[in-house]
Amino acid sequence: DHVASDPVVDNSVKPAKKGIASSKAILLFNTGDASIGTAMREGGISKIHRVDYDVTNILFLYNEIKTIVYGEWRIIPRYARS
């Protein structure tokens, strides 16, 4: 069984949903947001099971990063929010 070292990841959560965020760069011009938070919003995820990254790089001229978040939606009680 895999034990996550990242405090954001919770292995007790089921990977019921998937969210993807991406960013692209050509030479020095970047666009997009490949953050974990953006991927969570895109997939409607509140609890993370795992995070995968897919990176494409062509001769350092073109770069694409995809962040793929797997998890589920859980309602967080009002008293537990910070």
Side-chain angles (χ1 to χ4, degrees), residues 26-60:
I26 299 174
L27 294 176
L28 298 175
F29 302 99
N30 301 321
T31 182
D33 180 3
S35 68
I36 292 173
T38 300
M40 288 176 68
R41 282 190 297 279
E42 290 293 323
I45 296 170
S46 64
K47 297 289 264 181
I48 297 174
H49 175 265
R50 78 174 191 268
V51 178
D52 291 336
Y53 297 96
D54 182 21
V55 178
T56 303
N57 188 320
I58 301 172
L59 298 174
F60 302 103

Side-chain angles (χ1 to χ4, degrees), residues 2-3 8 13-14 27 33-34 45 51-52 61 68 75-76:
H2 173 71
V3 178
V8 173
V13 175
K14 297 175 185 168
L27 294 176
D33 180 3
I45 296 170
V51 178
D52 291 336
L61 300 174
I68 306 151
I75 297 173
I76 302 170

